[in-house]
Amino acid sequence: MRRLAARGAAGDAREVAAPGADIWDCARGWSPSSSRLTDLCALWQPGVFLPSADGSRASAGVGKSRPNEAEKLSTVWKAHIERHKASGARGLGSGEQGLVLRMARQQAPPWVHIALILFLLSLGGAIEIPMDPSIQNELTQPPTITKQSVKDHIVDPRDNILIECEAKGNPAPSFHWTRNSRFFNIAKDPRVSMRRRSGTLVIDFRSGGRPEEYEGEYQCFARNKFGTALSNRIRLQVSKSPLWPKENLDPVVVQEGAPLTLQCNPPPGLPSPVIFWMSSSMEPITQDKRVSQGHNGDLYFSNVMLQDMQTDYSCNARFHFTHTIQQKNPFTLKVLTNNPYNDSSLRNHPDIYSARGVAERTPSFMYPQGTSSSQMVLRGMDLLLECIASGVPTPDIAWYKKGGDLPSNKAKFENFNKALRITNVSEEDSGEYFCLASNKMGSIRHTISVRVKAAPYWLDEPKNLILAPGEDGRLVCRANGNPKPTVQWMVNGEPLQSAPPNPNREVAGDTIIFRDTQISSRAVYQCNTSNEHGYLLANAFVSVLDVPPRMLSARNQLIRVILYNRTRLDCPFFGSPIPTLRWFKNGQGSNLDGGNYHVYENGSLEIKMIRKEDQGIYTCVATNILGKAENQVRLEVKDPTRIYRMPEDQVAKRGTTVQLECRVKHDPSLKLTVSWLKDDEPLYIGNRMKKEDDSLTIFGVAERDQGSYTCMASTELDQDLAKAYLTVLGRPDRPRDLELTDLAERSVRLTWIPGDDNNSPITDYVVQFEEDQFQPGVWHDHSRFPGSVNSAVLHLSPYVNYQFRVIAVNEVGSSHPSLPSERYRTSGAPPESNPSDVKGEGTRKNNMEITWTPMNATSAFGPNLRYIVKWRRRETRETWNNVTVWGSRYVVGQTPVYVPYEIRVQAENDFGKGPEPDTIIGYSGEDYPRAAPTEVKIRVLNSTAISLQWNRVYSDTVQGQLREYRAYYWRESSLLKNLWVSQKRQQASFPGDRPRGVVARLFPYSNYKLEMVVVNGRGDGPRSETKEFTTPEGVPSAPRRFRVRQPNLETINLEWDHPEHPNGILIGYILRYVPFNGTKLGKQMVENFSPNQTKFSVQRADPVSRYRFSLSARTQVGSGEAATEESPAPPNEATPTAAYTNNQADIATQGWFIGLMCAIALLVLILLIVCFIKRSRGGKYPVREKKDVPLGPEDPKEEDGSFDYSDEDNKPLQGSQTSLDGTIKQQESDDSLVDYGEGGEGQFNEDGSFIGQYTVKKDKEETEGNESSEATSPVNAIYSLA
């Protein structure tokens, strides 16, 4: 079987001829090899033979049509069989041998011999030269034409002439030319030169000369020692653009309605000019189905109208090469008419001809003449058929083909249906076409007979033939045309008949057969096929090569493939004779072919399904009689890339976050790239998206994010795709095209077109309205309708100028409102309701203000809405007072105090009054109560609450609506000596008319005063007599700042501060503590301390247990709230938090902390010294104003041994300490900030501590001469400096 010598890429498996394929496959329409049996079938089909379906009969035309060829080919057949029997390297394959044996047994007729010979010859080995430049440069090759000018070469006379001819070959070819079939001596003409390394002719006219002198037929010859190649015969012509002949044109006189043809007759040009019509003022002539230009350039008027006389008509010719336009003298029309007035209003008249008195006529053809004509067109060209008809009215043109339809894919109508163009004509387009011209007066038909001829066109163009010594081959030159073209063979530019005889060459019509070729057989053959319409010329060389095998690909290539895939290992090679190729794996074993392996003709090894065991080194060996060559390919098998968790389809609301998963498994030795596509285009990752290795997250999903998302996981070898669709639920688009119909007095139908629901069904429509009288520009909800409707009847109110809009609602949200509808005003009517929320209340003791909620636009029902206000005293039966009001309030004056009134408010407009209003009870203004509660009695309930009881006042003394009884009380003093308290008044309210109540949240152990009043809407009445009471002792609050410290493993130190609220005389502290270890508790122990003690140490019984402490303070009443803490955990159990606490507890024992405190103390001392120096020198930092009292180092009152309840950082003021006699400083007032100047000697914060520099009242400083109140502490000294 034939092999291709070199191919860079493996061909498809279908290229290999199936073994044993027989010739009957052509009859059955099956071709196992497109390059083998198809050629044979193509040879049979033109008429050599046509086998029947069962192969029993053949066409009888074989012996008659080609008897000589049959005899010659029979001889060739016998010689060919003998050669194949003697040649092992090029023996018949099993399929071919089987085919020959079958044919011999069946006693095949002679035509079968012819077919088989041609079939076997088609398998003759032709060598293809690879494109490798190193091989191309080494191998000898006859010339090949690579570039040439077109056959009809038209040139611009203003430019130099260039006739192209380029060729390749090895050695490089030389060139010469013929002109008009005679040798063209370039050296004798100084204007003519040939480009270097090319055959291109250049004719230069810069020094003079006429281009017309060089017109003629040129042909290029490219020659080297292996043959001669020819170009086409190139016909050189010089472009011409002759001038229009001068002529005087008389005016054209024509009757209105008659047909007219204005002939152009342009001068002949090369190429033909482009024709168009314009006026002499260069305005284009308007063309339509009445006035149009024909293909020949003439201007046709199907009928002339009076308006055609308004311009002249000039034919213009544009020449391509010279880019010039020549204009013919214009035609002037004179139209004779029965209606000389050119009334422009008649141009749009439906029957302008009758309006102008023009007689109607049946159609007649202006071009072509008569009822029939014929036209010839060449295959592959465009067919243009034209019919132009006259008539009144202007006829319409329609086209038809006899016996069939017009070719829809190639036919198109031009020039207002007056021309039919069929592009790329073929033989089946021949036949009869007819055009039908018709108007209301009748119709006429013209038949055009179309004949399709054909210049020669290739069926099988000869190809270059490269053979090894001793091989066979053939050149085939088959062409078709109409008429049938003749074939002429030439060799190296000379007719084959005059060439030296070659016993290895035989000509069989359009085929040249070569047998047992040798080096001397090299030549270039030309095939010239021609008929009366043209010719084709083709060059094909025969080259004989003798080359040992060579490998064309890089050596030792690495090929990586994916498991279970199909792959091919390429081994491109070259040699002559054609080498045989074998494959081996890992340097051992037999030739690889069969099973999972398949070797193609071009040497490629296909592995049908890659497995792990297929990994290894593959060796290909090419061998011919001149030697052998080999190459190796290393195959690595990789795991496939797979997406094992694919993104899923999702439905998301706009604004939410969506995550698309894409988890991939791949071969770890390959680099993985994961990318995303949206709608099959690369996805731009913006700031709303986050791409991770295994997911894509979209934040704030928008409508534009909807679409398909494809995760593409790829390596260098493979990829895997997974797609999901994201549906975004968005708010619906706004409804549109609102329309009002069924307009009635109190209703209207509103219709709208729904907008896109954006993937979430519309559930509701909200109809809103706006009116332009009361609240212009403000939209109100009118009604709501289901999402399934788009039309609704709206009930309307009288005298409202409505404008509507619609809002669509779905689960995501509401759409933007639609554009407003047109306005619709309803007629007026009296009001059907009255204002609501009518009230009568006094704003002063002698008036009553009547108010109401005004009515809106939909309840006014008419213009000039106003309100009739009526009132009278209740139960007096006096006449109604009334007034008309335009607003929403009216004030009645000079009323008694707190008297009930009957009130009515009625709506009225210009159409009448509303219904009778309801009567509302209102009251005139209140005055302050005249009496106070009496017999106020106080009973102490406990240390923080008292019970009150009093006698109620008479109702006539209230002078209004009794709101509540109110108790005012204030803390007069504390029973603890020298404790400043706030005397800010507080109140307790007792709503309604009641005789008793409870006051809570009092301070224990304090003196209080209390007064009571009656309260109405105007305010407080007179106060009752002042009552005094004292609250008993209470239990104290929890000790402050309870701290547990553990300096070592044996001792636990406890420290605390005095309670913030002693609530009595403090008598001591109770400490309860219990050891515990996990969930196990030890015995509880109790310690009692004196009121002055604030420290205690506990010795640990073991280093493992922890302790839970509970500390509370006691008064005579009992123990107060307890403070609880636990000892720190041991170091091996302590959490980071416990360790941090322990470090904080032990900070006072650290050396660095002691040093820091000493440095701060030294700095403070220096500041004090500077302060004292400034004072003694009269500096600008006076401590006292207008006094010079020395600062005492200490307060004499501190000598009494008293203690305080504040910590060291918040010392009490002078004179506010407590002593052992039981007087204790009270440290919290009942309000948040004590701001009273009296009753205290300083300013305090909420817990009673000092919050500012203490100053004594100025009157005390002047009268009593107390010591300076400037603080002597270092901190206050610093404040003084500042």
Side-chain angles (χ1 to χ4, degrees):
M1 296 179 69
R2 188 179 89 172
R3 274 183 168 171
L4 299 180
R7 283 193 182 176
D12 192 274
R14 290 173 296 179
E15 296 178 356
V16 184
D22 58 41
I23 59 176
W24 310 121
D25 294 327
C26 267
R28 291 194 295 266
W30 178 81
S31 175
S33 171
S34 58
S35 60
R36 312 295 187 277
L37 298 183
T38 302
D39 289 343
L40 181 60
C41 294
L43 230 147
W44 292 340
Q45 287 169 359
V48 177
F49 73 92
L50 181 63
S52 61
D54 58 357
S56 59
R57 297 189 305 275
S59 172
V62 174
K64 296 179 181 179
S65 62
R66 293 187 177 179
N68 296 330
E69 292 181 18
E71 294 176 3
K72 294 178 183 179
L73 291 177
S74 178
T75 305
V76 175
W77 154 254
K78 296 176 182 178
H80 190 78
I81 293 298
E82 293 300 324
R83 282 199 305 274
H84 277 275
K85 287 182 178 179
S87 174
R90 286 190 296 273
L92 290 171
S94 60
E96 296 168 359
Q97 293 175 0
L99 175 62
V100 173
L101 293 176
R102 286 196 301 271
M103 297 300 297
R105 287 195 300 267
Q106 293 173 2
Q107 298 294 324
W111 63 267
V112 176
H113 290 280
I114 300 173
L116 283 176
I117 292 171
L118 295 177
F119 171 68
L120 293 176
L121 287 177
S122 71
L123 300 179
I127 301 173
E128 295 183 5
I129 303 296
M131 300 305 295
D132 191 334
S134 62
I135 297 179
Q136 292 272 357
N137 296 333
E138 290 178 9
L139 300 179
T140 59
Q141 181 176 324
T144 301
I145 300 293
T146 59
K147 187 176 183 181
Q148 57 184 320
S149 295
V150 295
K151 294 179 181 178
D152 291 318
H153 188 32
I154 302 175
V155 296
D156 191 333
R158 298 170 299 178
D159 298 333
N160 293 334
I161 295 176
L162 197 72
I163 310 177
E164 291 184 313
C165 178
E166 295 183 7
K168 66 178 182 178
N170 193 9
S174 60
F175 298 88
H176 74 271
W177 287 81
T178 63
R179 178 185 176 196
N180 298 328
S181 300
R182 300 179 65 182
F183 175 72
F184 184 39
N185 194 343
I186 298 173
K188 290 185 177 181
D189 194 335
R191 297 191 183 93
V192 182
S193 62
M194 190 182 301
R195 285 183 177 174
R196 188 183 178 195
R197 296 180 181 177
S198 170
T200 299
L201 286 183
V202 179
I203 307 176
D204 193 344
F205 298 102
R206 286 178 294 182
S207 58
R210 297 180 63 252
E212 291 79 2
E213 297 176 357
Y214 291 89
E215 290 184 328
E217 189 177 74
Y218 292 78
Q219 190 167 27
C220 173
F221 293 76
R223 172 179 298 155
N224 67 10
K225 65 179 181 179
F226 302 115
T228 302
L230 277 64
S231 72
N232 290 322
R233 296 186 296 275
I234 302 170
R235 183 184 178 193
L236 177 66
Q237 295 176 284
V238 178
S239 173
K240 298 176 177 63
S241 53
L243 297 177
W244 218 301
K246 296 293 184 180
E247 57 181 339
N248 294 323
L249 300 176
D250 296 330
V252 179
V253 180
V254 61
Q255 182 70 35
E256 185 175 18
L260 174 65
T261 301
L262 298 181
Q263 295 184 350
C264 181
N265 296 327
L270 186 67
S272 299
V274 177
I275 305 300
F276 56 94
W277 287 80
M278 302 184 74
S279 67
S280 57
S281 59
M282 303 305 292
E283 294 290 334
I285 300 300
T286 303
Q287 299 189 27
D288 51 24
K289 74 174 184 177
R290 184 178 68 86
V291 181
S292 63
Q293 175 185 319
H295 183 62
N296 60 0
D298 295 346
L299 188 64
Y300 293 91
F301 294 77
S302 295
N303 51 76
V304 176
M305 301 300 293
L306 184 62
Q307 69 234 30
D308 298 332
M309 194 172 57
Q310 294 178 357
T311 184
D312 54 9
Y313 301 85
S314 177
C315 182
N316 296 263
R318 180 168 60 86
F319 294 91
H320 172 69
F321 278 92
T322 59
H323 301 288
T324 59
I325 297 177
Q326 296 190 29
Q327 189 177 49
K328 186 176 183 179
N329 287 341
F331 290 96
T332 301
L333 295 187
K334 183 177 180 181
V335 180
L336 305 179
T337 178
N338 298 326
N339 187 353
Y341 298 103
N342 186 16
D343 190 352
S344 59
S345 63
L346 296 178
R347 293 184 181 180
N348 297 324
H349 195 280
D351 193 353
I352 185 174
Y353 298 102
S354 61
R356 294 199 52 80
V358 177
E360 296 178 340
R361 292 183 292 103
T362 58
S364 62
F365 284 108
M366 304 175 69
Y367 180 88
Q369 300 290 332
T371 59
S372 64
S373 60
S374 64
Q375 192 167 335
M376 189 273 289
V377 63
L378 292 180
R379 178 182 183 273
M381 306 297 287
D382 285 359
L383 170 65
L384 184 67
L385 305 178
E386 192 172 32
C387 281
I388 301 175
S390 65
V392 179
T394 303
D396 294 315
I397 306 295
W399 290 90
Y400 304 92
K401 183 179 182 182
K402 186 176 181 180
D405 297 328
L406 296 176
S408 58
N409 57 335
K410 298 193 298 180
K412 61 180 180 179
F413 301 104
E414 299 177 355
N415 197 17
F416 311 99
N417 275 23
K418 298 178 184 179
L420 170 65
R421 182 181 296 274
I422 301 176
T423 59
N424 192 20
V425 171
S426 57
E427 286 78 359
E428 55 265 24
D429 295 322
S430 60
E432 289 189 355
Y433 295 79
F434 65 89
C435 58
L436 183 68
S438 60
N439 63 10
K440 66 179 182 180
M441 301 299 295
S443 62
I444 189 173
R445 187 169 75 171
H446 183 94
T447 302
I448 304 175
S449 177
V450 175
R451 293 173 294 116
V452 179
K453 300 291 185 177
Y457 57 92
W458 290 118
L459 297 176
D460 195 347
E461 184 178 2
K463 302 293 190 299
N464 294 333
L465 188 61
I466 302 175
L467 301 172
E471 286 191 330
D472 301 343
R474 65 171 180 159
L475 290 178
V476 178
C477 177
R478 285 187 292 150
N480 200 2
N482 188 5
K484 183 73 175 178
T486 59
V487 176
Q488 178 188 8
W489 284 100
M490 294 182 289
V491 57
N492 295 327
E494 298 293 334
L496 195 62
Q497 295 82 356
S498 60
N502 185 348
N504 298 332
R505 178 182 65 208
E506 185 172 352
V507 179
D510 55 11
T511 303
I512 300 180
I513 303 169
F514 300 93
R515 303 186 303 273
D516 194 18
T517 56
Q518 301 301 322
I519 299 297
S520 59
S521 301
R522 291 180 294 192
V524 180
Y525 290 84
Q526 288 83 33
C527 174
N528 184 42
T529 175
S530 61
N531 65 11
E532 61 188 74
H533 302 297
Y535 74 92
L536 295 173
L537 177 66
N539 292 276
F541 65 71
V542 176
S543 181
V544 181
L545 300 178
D546 200 358
V547 180
R550 291 182 58 176
M551 292 296 171
L552 303 180
S553 61
R555 303 187 67 81
N556 301 321
Q557 294 186 71
L558 170 64
I559 297 180
R560 299 179 297 175
V561 296
I562 298 298
L563 186 67
Y564 305 127
N565 277 7
R566 174 193 295 250
T567 190
R568 287 186 181 182
L569 305 182
D570 293 332
C571 184
F573 62 93
F574 175 70
S576 181
I578 301 174
T580 58
L581 188 76
R582 293 180 297 169
W583 283 89
F584 303 94
K585 180 183 178 184
N586 295 330
Q588 56 185 342
S590 59
N591 181 29
L592 297 179
D593 198 3
N596 198 34
Y597 301 101
H598 178 70
V599 179
Y600 285 96
E601 288 185 350
N602 64 349
S604 295
L605 173 66
E606 180 185 65
I607 306 177
K608 299 177 182 178
M609 187 175 70
I610 291 291
R611 299 162 298 186
K612 284 290 186 182
E613 54 266 27
D614 292 323
Q615 185 166 287
I617 298 176
Y618 291 78
T619 304
C620 59
V621 180
T623 307
N624 69 4
I625 60 176
L626 300 178
K628 71 175 182 177
E630 66 177 44
N631 198 0
Q632 289 185 341
V633 178
R634 182 160 59 93
L635 182 67
E636 290 185 358
V637 180
K638 304 294 183 180
D639 291 328
T641 301
R642 292 292 178 264
I643 299 175
Y644 66 90
R645 181 167 293 179
M646 297 180 289
E648 298 179 350
D649 295 344
Q650 295 194 37
V651 177
K653 291 185 178 180
R654 187 172 64 91
T656 58
T657 299
V658 170
Q659 186 177 59
L660 300 172
E661 280 192 311
C662 182
R663 299 192 178 182
V664 184
K665 182 180 180 182
H666 71 290
D667 194 292
S669 64
L670 301 177
K671 182 181 178 182
L672 176 68
T673 301
V674 178
S675 58
W676 289 84
L677 307 177
K678 181 180 183 296
D679 299 329
D680 300 327
E681 295 292 335
L683 174 65
Y684 169 71
I685 306 296
N687 54 6
R688 293 189 305 106
M689 297 185 183
K690 181 180 181 182
K691 176 180 171 293
E692 296 177 319
D693 292 340
D694 57 357
S695 65
L696 173 69
T697 304
I698 306 175
F699 302 97
V701 171
E703 284 84 353
R704 63 179 179 273
D705 296 322
Q706 178 169 300
S708 63
Y709 287 81
T710 304
C711 174
M712 184 168 60
S714 57
T715 63
E716 307 95 290
L717 303 182
D718 68 337
Q719 70 176 17
D720 195 15
L721 304 176
K723 182 178 290 189
Y725 196 87
L726 174 62
T727 302
V728 179
L729 305 181
R731 297 187 304 173
D733 292 344
R734 67 173 66 186
R736 57 185 176 86
D737 297 345
L738 272 64
E739 183 181 6
L740 298 178
T741 56
D742 301 344
L743 305 177
E745 187 175 356
R746 293 292 181 268
S747 67
V748 68
R749 176 174 290 278
L750 175 64
T751 305
W752 61 90
I753 296 178
D756 192 342
D757 62 5
N758 291 323
N759 305 311
S760 180
I762 297 174
T763 58
D764 296 281
Y765 287 104
V766 177
V767 178
Q768 295 183 328
F769 75 93
E770 179 261 351
E771 53 83 26
D772 58 0
Q773 182 177 358
F774 289 88
Q775 291 179 298
V778 179
W779 290 89
H780 308 273
D781 288 349
H782 183 281
S783 50
R784 198 177 190 98
F785 299 98
S788 58
V789 304
N790 68 329
S791 179
V793 175
L794 308 180
H795 298 285
L796 309 179
S797 298
Y799 201 70
V800 179
N801 193 16
Y802 282 100
Q803 190 176 31
F804 300 99
R805 70 182 187 184
V806 181
I807 298 174
V809 181
N810 62 11
E811 291 185 0
V812 180
S814 301
S815 71
H816 292 293
S818 68
L819 297 177
S821 70
E822 58 183 344
R823 288 195 176 272
Y824 176 63
R825 179 183 290 277
T826 55
S827 58
E832 296 180 358
S833 61
N834 289 311
S836 60
D837 199 20
V838 179
K839 296 179 182 177
E841 296 176 345
T843 58
R844 296 181 180 180
K845 65 179 182 179
N846 59 350
N847 75 359
M848 178 181 65
E849 183 180 58
I850 303 174
T851 61
W852 58 91
T853 300
M855 300 170 65
N856 56 27
T858 58
S859 55
F861 285 21
N864 298 322
L865 178 66
R866 49 200 179 270
Y867 304 96
I868 302 174
V869 181
K870 299 180 181 180
W871 72 94
R872 69 180 180 184
R873 289 186 60 175
R874 187 181 182 184
E875 298 176 353
T876 60
R877 298 301 179 182
E878 63 184 20
T879 59
W880 289 91
N881 301 287
N882 67 81
V883 65
T884 300
V885 179
W886 297 83
S888 60
R889 62 185 290 270
Y890 180 74
V891 178
V892 180
Q894 304 301 320
T895 60
V897 175
Y898 201 65
V899 173
Y901 280 84
E902 294 179 342
I903 301 171
R904 295 179 181 176
V905 180
Q906 185 180 26
E908 182 183 25
N909 62 23
D910 288 354
F911 290 94
K913 295 181 180 180
E916 282 297 320
D918 296 332
T919 300
I920 305 299
I921 304 300
Y923 287 85
S924 59
E926 299 176 275
D927 201 355
Y928 295 107
R930 299 198 305 267
T934 57
E935 299 296 329
V936 178
K937 298 178 181 179
I938 299 174
R939 182 167 62 90
V940 177
L941 299 178
N942 52 44
S943 61
T944 61
I946 61 172
S947 172
L948 292 177
Q949 187 173 352
W950 62 88
N951 289 338
R952 293 179 293 183
V953 298
Y954 293 104
S955 59
D956 58 346
T957 64
V958 176
Q959 299 195 105
Q961 183 180 4
L962 191 151
R963 302 287 180 88
E964 63 183 27
Y965 288 91
R966 183 178 300 166
Y968 290 100
Y969 61 95
W970 61 96
R971 190 179 182 190
E972 185 70 18
S973 63
S974 173
L975 295 179
L976 297 173
K977 294 182 179 181
N978 299 321
L979 179 63
W980 179 90
V981 297
S982 171
Q983 294 183 345
K984 180 180 179 180
R985 289 175 177 258
Q986 296 181 335
Q987 67 183 34
S989 298
F990 310 104
D993 190 8
R994 54 194 295 184
R996 61 180 61 86
V998 174
V999 178
R1001 301 176 63 85
L1002 301 175
F1003 283 94
Y1005 212 50
S1006 300
N1007 294 319
Y1008 277 90
K1009 290 185 178 180
L1010 181 142
E1011 297 173 342
M1012 291 201 68
V1013 296
V1014 177
V1015 181
N1016 64 10
R1018 186 71 185 275
D1020 294 357
R1023 300 175 184 271
S1024 68
E1025 61 177 334
T1026 302
K1027 298 290 184 178
E1028 297 183 357
F1029 64 93
T1030 300
T1031 55
E1033 278 190 281
V1035 296
S1037 62
R1040 292 184 299 165
R1041 298 181 179 88
F1042 183 31
R1043 301 177 294 281
V1044 179
R1045 296 174 179 172
Q1046 185 172 315
N1048 50 57
L1049 295 178
E1050 291 80 20
T1051 305
I1052 299 176
N1053 293 333
L1054 308 180
E1055 295 182 10
W1056 63 89
D1057 294 339
H1058 300 301
E1060 184 177 1
H1061 302 292
N1063 294 334
I1065 299 174
L1066 199 64
I1067 62 174
Y1069 295 93
I1070 298 177
L1071 175 66
R1072 295 179 174 86
Y1073 60 97
V1074 60
F1076 68 93
N1077 186 358
T1079 58
K1080 296 176 62 177
L1081 298 176
K1083 180 181 179 182
Q1084 178 175 298
M1085 288 162 280
V1086 180
E1087 298 284 347
N1088 290 296
F1089 306 118
S1090 67
N1092 292 328
Q1093 186 172 349
T1094 58
K1095 296 181 179 180
F1096 182 69
S1097 295
V1098 176
Q1099 298 300 318
R1100 299 183 61 171
D1102 60 80
V1104 178
S1105 298
R1106 297 175 60 191
Y1107 288 82
R1108 186 174 292 119
F1109 300 94
S1110 175
L1111 179 68
S1112 60
R1114 290 188 301 130
T1115 62
Q1116 294 292 345
V1117 177
S1119 298
E1121 182 183 356
T1124 59
E1125 287 290 342
E1126 292 183 356
S1127 64
N1132 58 342
E1133 299 178 7
T1135 62
T1137 304
Y1140 173 77
T1141 305
N1142 193 34
N1143 291 338
Q1144 292 292 97
D1146 296 339
I1147 191 172
T1149 64
Q1150 302 296 321
W1152 65 269
F1153 179 74
I1154 297 173
L1156 179 61
M1157 291 297 102
C1158 292
I1160 294 175
L1162 180 61
L1163 179 61
V1164 171
L1165 181 60
I1166 293 172
L1167 290 175
L1168 280 174
I1169 294 173
V1170 173
C1171 176
F1172 292 156
I1173 293 173
K1174 290 291 185 179
R1175 287 182 178 178
S1176 62
R1177 292 183 180 180
K1180 58 181 180 180
Y1181 300 104
V1183 179
R1184 296 183 56 82
E1185 183 180 359
K1186 297 181 182 181
K1187 291 194 178 183
D1188 189 13
V1189 180
L1191 288 172
E1194 57 186 49
D1195 194 321
K1197 290 185 180 181
E1198 293 180 355
E1199 298 175 355
D1200 59 359
S1202 62
F1203 67 91
D1204 67 275
Y1205 292 99
S1206 63
D1207 57 13
E1208 295 177 358
D1209 296 330
N1210 191 14
K1211 293 294 184 181
L1213 299 175
Q1214 296 178 11
S1216 62
Q1217 293 83 6
T1218 58
S1219 63
L1220 291 176
D1221 60 1
T1223 60
I1224 304 174
K1225 170 187 173 182
Q1226 175 64 33
Q1227 296 189 6
E1228 179 177 66
S1229 63
D1230 56 315
D1231 53 351
S1232 63
L1233 181 62
V1234 178
D1235 55 358
Y1236 295 96
E1238 298 182 359
E1241 298 176 345
Q1243 295 177 344
F1244 293 80
N1245 62 12
E1246 291 183 349
D1247 63 357
S1249 59
F1250 181 69
I1251 63 171
Q1253 181 176 326
Y1254 173 71
T1255 58
V1256 182
K1257 292 173 59 177
K1258 188 173 182 181
D1259 58 341
K1260 289 187 179 181
E1261 292 177 350
E1262 296 177 354
T1263 59
E1264 298 178 3
N1266 281 344
E1267 295 179 356
S1268 172
S1269 63
E1270 293 290 344
T1272 60
S1273 70
V1275 177
N1276 284 339
I1278 295 174
Y1279 288 161
S1280 299
L1281 287 175

